[in-house]
Amino acid sequence: MKKHIPTSGSKISRRTFIQQTAAIGALLPVAGRAGLILPASLAEASGNFFTVHFDPATGRLDVQRRDGSRLLHRATLRAATDRVIYSTAQSEYSHAVELTHFRDALGQGQQMVIRSTDARRQINFEWRIFWYEDQPALSVEAKCLNVSAQPVNLRRIDPLCAIPAEGGSLFWPGTEKLLTNGAMYYDPGHVFNFGQAADQAQRSWWNIGLFRNYRDEGLVIGSLNNQTAQGQVEVQRLDGDALGVSAESLLTGGFMLPPGQMALSNRFMLHIGADPYLALEEYASAMGKLNQARINSTVNGWCSWFYTYENISEDEVLRNASFAARHLKPFGLEYMQIDEGYQRWHGEWEGNERFPHGMKWLAGKIRKMGLKPGLWVAPYIISEPTAVFREHPEWLLRHPDGQLKRVGPWPSEDTDWARHENPRRYGLDISHPGAAAWFYDLFDTVANRWGYEMIKIDFVDWSILSAHQYHEAGLSRAQVYRRGYEMIRRAAGEKCHINECGPGPVSIGLIDSMRIELDQNYGYRGNVWQQYFQTPTGSAAAAAKRWYFHGRAWVNDADHLCLNLLSTSQAKAAASLLALTGGNLISGDRLTDLDPVRLDILTKTLPASGLAARPVDLLDDDMHAVFTVPVQKSWGRWQVTGFFNRDEENSRDFSYPLQRFGLDETKTYLCFDFWNEQLLAPVSGQLSVKTAPAAVTLLSLRPDTGQPQIVGTSRHLLMGAVELDEVNFDPQANTISAISTGAPGTQHKVFIYLPEAHYWRQGKPSLYTDFPGFTLKLIADQLLSVLVKFGPDGRTAWKIDFNQFFGA
């Protein structure tokens, strides 16, 4: 007789868990017994973090944490066709279970392999559950085998389904907040309040975070690979502590699984982190490791789009490249990327009449200036005037009725927008061999014959990813999209930087960087400011809701830095924000027309540091305002924190305990204001800041050592991360020394905190004191300025003898 299994989220004993899940007697020892086939009544194993039980009588999975609390209850595996849903819980399935050890890029552990046979001879399943020895993470994936005599229109595979309709549930008691993700750059997701009963189900692309507060454990459920399908996760609130969860692998509306063929789901992970930040970062790290993420190439450059739009010309590119080579290359700018507007048509990518010398010639001119050329391409778009459209209509996407499918950013073909579009555009179907060969040759030409070292891929959502079915009907959208990037990477080579404006979770491991926000920087000052700070899809919100992917899955690209229309305070805020993302740093201004103030602001962002700031207010709002990033060098560690006020009329007060910044509340920190070059009062326990309207307060926080120490610089927004080396304080000699780096012919300041106050008096040390390569000046009671000057090699070594300087 089966016993009732309680559905509360309360802790239960391991004995009770075993007895109430299935009467299987003693525990099965699995250590050292890889490949063990279990009798039908025995389907359980334990690791350091979980106990996993599968009941062959019901086709359901239960997972218990080692502390006795439930995680999953009566979960199933499902697959949906155009006609019916199949589930391991259906009585037509019989199940065989095998336990094995495994090792992958994330570590080693155990896996349970469940093979489910359909007595109706329709769909057989193979369900794999993985758990690791050294991390609180559990993964699931599935295979569906068509054992019928007919093709099956398979729409979706759910390798984890614990929803009320199936009698299952997830337990994560006290969930108050959800962090979702969007399909691609235009939707960075949302922060939802999830504390009320009967909240509406929330669906997220790729991954979702479930959080209680900032200090407690966080749970992230997400797809680790999306090479065969596009991953989605849905979470809903049930009674008590129970939640419903469904992890789904979406194929294509017209995906056909032939008889005898197998379809694979995504691999989904349930990862428990010590807090929300670690849960998200560790999930992204697992994603990156499993897919061999490319995270070492960052674009410091310029792009033409946001001031020329499609009206870019060869002359405009060269003028900006010449300026950049003289004024910005010494600070770290490398790339000049030509955006939409250079091409003859979408589908004919040679230069138009505004590029009379051609795209190869232009790339060569850019390289001769010591810069790297980059190019925007929408490779899946084919316009009517092109040779491809005229000569190879069989290469193009089609509707289910066989008619050519038009593509565009409009809602549908049956709109005035679409009807009046001229020329009409169509989608290239690279599952056709002829189209694939043309596609490969395009990128071979751009990268190798023309010489472009950075390629930006765009317009994918409403082209290749809009297909109902492909020429090769047994391919999903994810498979075709992944295949495209595999061809791009093979053609362009390993050194070419590929910037993705599509679903990075599918192309991970093949791309270098990914656009993460909705780039709608159109209009005047108010529109530009809104794009950065006043919309939940803009740069600040996206940098907050997707920071954890940076440096783990890809390099984040949080939009261009456009300063020309902004006020000085707004320009400083936008520059600070993009510098704190750590990712691509791309100017979107006409460089030749930037005034000296805004040009100086731009130089302070270059080069990108590679360090992504965490959002301090991650769970507080859907438009985030506070970011902090730790900087670690061989000579010291400090925190850089930005407080952003999006309100254009009123000041804003911020106040947080130091713990929220990852700092020790019992210690005292020296606080330096970057933009005002000002030493503020020491901070302990709580950090409170007032930020002016439409502005930023950018601070460095360094532990007070009680000795003279560097607290900031005027060169780079991370205040020492890129411009200081070999810093050393010698307490015996009472000296401090360092090597500063900077653009030849420039100078910048280094600021040193003095533990002993030196009040102003006429004469030395309040006067300028010159040394070879640097000048000292006391600028406040406890703040000394070192003005460092750079010769041709861009390196200046300096040393200060405090006894000598202060006349001791």
Side-chain angles (χ1 to χ4, degrees):
M1 178 178 178
K2 296 177 183 176
K3 296 185 178 181
H4 172 70
I5 302 174
T7 59
S8 71
S10 60
K11 295 182 180 180
I12 59 175
S13 70
R14 194 156 182 264
R15 179 181 294 276
T16 302
F17 176 79
I18 297 164
Q19 291 174 341
Q20 293 183 342
T21 304
I24 64 170
L27 292 176
L28 174 71
V30 297
R33 300 177 65 182
L36 186 62
I37 307 296
L38 302 182
S41 61
L42 298 176
E44 177 172 313
S46 295
N48 293 329
F49 298 96
F50 304 106
T51 295
V52 179
H53 174 82
F54 178 75
D55 184 352
T58 64
R60 298 179 182 276
L61 181 77
D62 282 71
V63 178
Q64 178 191 17
R65 296 184 68 185
R66 291 290 288 175
D67 66 358
S69 59
R70 288 191 186 281
L71 184 62
L72 288 171
H73 175 55
R74 293 173 62 80
T76 64
L77 158 63
R78 301 197 314 178
T81 72
D82 59 333
R83 298 175 180 272
V84 68
I85 291 178
Y86 298 91
S87 167
T88 56
Q90 293 168 349
S91 60
E92 290 83 359
Y93 282 96
S94 58
H95 311 280
V97 183
E98 179 182 8
L99 288 176
T100 69
H101 289 278
F102 78 95
R103 181 187 298 272
D104 63 17
L106 306 182
Q108 62 183 8
Q110 298 180 73
Q111 66 173 331
M112 181 180 287
V113 183
I114 302 159
R115 298 180 176 90
S116 303
T117 303
D118 185 358
R120 299 161 294 188
R121 294 196 56 78
Q122 297 295 312
I123 295 290
N124 286 356
F125 292 121
E126 182 175 290
W127 197 7
R128 291 178 180 266
I129 299 92
F130 311 78
W131 58 99
Y132 295 89
E133 292 179 355
D134 60 351
Q135 52 188 298
L138 180 141
S139 297
V140 295
E141 66 182 19
K143 300 178 182 177
C144 296
L145 176 65
N146 181 4
V147 293
S148 74
Q150 300 297 324
V152 173
N153 182 197
L154 186 64
R155 303 288 183 85
R156 194 183 78 232
I157 305 171
D158 306 341
L160 176 63
C161 183
I163 60 174
E166 290 284 339
S169 52
L170 165 76
F171 291 97
W172 195 252
T175 300
E176 294 288 336
K177 301 282 186 176
L178 297 182
L179 176 63
T180 65
N181 198 354
M184 54 187 75
Y185 68 93
Y186 52 73
D187 178 10
H190 296 278
V191 178
F192 288 101
N193 292 318
F194 203 63
Q196 303 299 316
D199 276 347
Q200 182 179 1
Q202 298 296 340
R203 178 171 289 270
S204 180
W205 281 92
W206 320 115
N207 58 280
I208 195 167
L210 293 81
F211 307 122
R212 299 162 180 144
N213 53 51
Y214 286 100
R215 291 180 179 267
D216 287 347
E217 290 179 323
L219 173 65
V220 174
I221 304 171
S223 52
L224 290 178
N225 57 20
N226 298 276
Q227 298 179 11
T228 60
Q230 296 167 283
Q232 287 190 356
V233 184
E234 183 176 270
V235 172
Q236 62 184 116
R237 182 170 291 286
L238 307 179
D239 293 335
D241 289 331
L243 305 171
V245 65
S246 179
E248 303 169 4
S249 298
L250 308 183
L251 299 166
T252 308
F255 180 89
M256 301 302 297
L257 184 64
Q261 296 299 305
M262 185 176 292
L264 307 180
S265 78
N266 310 71
R267 179 172 170 182
F268 284 88
M269 171 179 276
L270 289 80
H271 181 85
I272 299 170
D275 59 45
Y277 297 104
L278 288 173
L280 290 161
E281 290 168 349
E282 289 163 358
Y283 158 72
S285 292
M287 189 178 174
K289 290 176 183 177
L290 206 60
N291 293 280
Q292 298 180 307
R294 300 169 62 94
I295 56 174
N296 296 314
S297 176
T298 302
V299 173
N300 294 283
W302 169 88
C303 174
S304 61
W305 176 251
F306 276 122
Y307 78 90
T308 67
Y309 307 112
E310 66 275 8
N311 300 299
I312 186 62
S313 70
E314 180 183 283
D315 288 343
E316 184 70 19
V317 172
L318 291 175
R319 279 194 298 269
N320 281 272
S322 176
F323 184 93
R326 296 193 311 272
H327 300 288
L328 293 170
K329 182 175 178 285
F331 291 91
L333 187 141
E334 296 179 286
Y335 290 87
M336 300 297 292
Q337 186 242 305
I338 305 150
D339 216 276
E340 160 87 289
Y342 68 89
Q343 73 280 359
R344 295 172 181 169
W345 302 105
H346 293 135
E348 287 187 6
W349 297 102
E350 183 53 275
N352 56 36
E353 68 279 1
R354 294 190 303 274
F355 290 78
H357 294 92
M359 304 313 293
K360 178 178 180 178
W361 177 89
L362 182 56
K365 293 290 285 187
I366 292 171
R367 281 198 306 275
K368 286 180 180 178
M369 297 181 196
L371 299 168
K372 299 178 181 180
L375 196 64
W376 175 95
V377 182
Y380 299 104
I381 310 298
I382 303 296
S383 294
E384 277 184 333
T386 62
V388 171
F389 178 81
R390 295 192 308 270
E391 299 170 12
H392 295 287
E394 72 277 11
W395 292 359
L396 304 179
L397 296 174
R398 296 182 178 270
H399 287 295
D401 64 2
Q403 296 297 310
L404 285 179
K405 173 183 171 61
R406 288 184 57 202
V407 300
W410 20 258
S412 75
E413 292 183 50
D414 189 26
T415 61
D416 287 342
W417 183 2
R419 282 191 288 268
H420 296 148
E421 185 179 66
N422 184 32
R424 296 185 175 193
R425 294 178 288 184
Y426 300 85
L428 185 72
D429 184 351
I430 60 166
S431 74
H432 189 290
W438 180 91
F439 186 87
Y440 180 93
D441 185 69
L442 168 63
F443 287 97
D444 183 38
T445 296
V446 170
N448 301 316
R449 297 175 199 147
W450 292 353
Y452 286 87
E453 300 178 54
M454 177 259 188
I455 303 174
K456 177 181 175 181
I457 309 296
D458 206 355
F459 292 179
V460 300
D461 188 37
W462 43 268
S463 60
I464 191 67
L465 291 172
S466 70
H468 173 77
Q469 190 180 60
Y470 298 98
H471 173 78
E472 191 174 336
L475 293 179
S476 69
R477 287 174 176 164
Q479 285 174 311
V480 172
Y481 194 71
R482 179 82 184 182
R483 179 182 290 185
Y485 264 101
E486 287 170 349
M487 287 191 283
I488 293 170
R489 179 54 71 189
R490 284 199 305 272
E494 291 299 312
K495 294 182 180 180
C496 183
H497 183 106
I498 297 177
N499 179 223
E500 163 77 291
C501 294
V506 178
S507 52
I508 180 175
L510 299 168
I511 62 171
D512 295 287
S513 61
M514 175 180 157
R515 176 61 57 84
I516 63 169
E517 48 65 66
L518 179 59
D519 52 344
Q520 293 294 299
N521 195 339
Y522 301 107
Y524 299 118
R525 176 176 293 182
N527 306 97
V528 178
W529 183 247
Q530 179 181 359
Q531 164 62 22
Y532 288 124
F533 294 105
Q534 293 179 329
T535 170
T537 60
S539 298
K545 289 178 280 195
R546 285 175 164 165
W547 100 90
Y548 53 94
F549 288 115
H550 175 75
R552 299 177 179 90
W554 48 70
V555 171
N556 276 351
D557 182 341
D559 204 0
H560 304 153
L561 180 57
C562 300
L563 304 178
N564 185 51
L565 293 176
L566 297 175
S567 69
T568 302
S569 67
Q570 290 175 326
K572 291 176 179 178
S576 299
L577 173 68
L578 293 188
L580 286 172
T581 70
N584 288 352
L585 211 301
I586 303 175
S587 171
D589 283 313
R590 182 182 236 188
L591 299 177
T592 55
D593 286 7
L594 274 183
D595 63 88
V597 171
R598 286 165 182 77
L599 183 62
D600 182 59
I601 292 172
L602 175 59
T603 64
K604 295 180 188 301
T605 68
L606 296 168
S609 71
L611 305 173
R614 287 176 170 181
V616 176
D617 52 351
L618 172 64
L619 306 179
D620 301 345
D621 198 350
D622 207 31
M623 292 191 293
H624 300 80
V626 186
F627 294 82
T628 191
V629 59
V631 182
Q632 179 72 58
K633 300 282 282 186
S634 60
W635 50 268
R637 177 185 173 88
W638 65 97
Q639 205 88 5
V640 177
T641 303
F643 298 85
F644 298 88
N645 183 5
R646 61 179 173 264
D647 192 317
E648 297 179 74
E649 297 182 359
N650 303 297
S651 297
R652 181 173 178 181
D653 292 309
F654 298 91
S655 187
Y656 294 94
L658 288 180
Q659 182 271 336
R660 289 282 292 274
F661 303 95
L663 300 175
D664 188 338
E665 293 177 311
T666 66
K667 291 185 177 180
T668 298
Y669 294 85
L670 302 176
C671 186
F672 182 79
D673 183 329
F674 177 82
W675 290 113
N676 290 313
E677 298 186 357
Q678 182 179 6
L679 183 68
L680 305 181
V683 174
S684 60
Q686 190 91 359
L687 177 57
S688 299
V689 170
K690 179 185 286 291
T691 301
V696 62
T697 302
L698 188 68
L699 305 177
S700 72
L701 297 163
R702 305 179 194 239
D704 185 354
T705 63
Q707 299 172 332
Q709 62 186 99
I710 292 172
V711 291
T713 80
S714 65
R715 160 64 183 95
H716 193 277
L717 289 156
L718 266 63
M719 292 178 266
V722 303
E723 71 273 34
L724 277 170
D725 290 312
E726 299 182 28
V727 178
N728 180 61
F729 175 72
D730 184 340
Q732 299 298 321
N734 198 23
T735 61
I736 190 169
S737 60
I739 295 176
S740 290
T741 57
T746 67
Q747 57 188 26
H748 65 250
K749 299 173 186 174
V750 177
F751 299 98
I752 298 175
Y753 165 75
L754 305 171
E756 180 182 349
H758 297 268
Y759 300 108
W760 186 89
R761 59 185 174 86
Q762 187 171 340
K764 193 177 178 181
S766 300
L767 301 176
Y768 293 98
T769 305
D770 295 321
F771 296 89
F774 67 100
T775 296
L776 301 182
K777 190 177 192 307
L778 191 64
I779 59 174
D781 295 345
Q782 293 181 279
L783 191 63
L784 180 65
S785 167
V786 186
L787 181 65
V788 189
K789 304 159 190 178
F790 298 97
D793 67 350
R795 290 173 63 85
T796 298
W798 52 267
K799 182 177 182 179
I800 302 170
D801 184 325
F802 292 107
N803 294 332
Q804 182 184 56
F805 181 70
F806 289 109

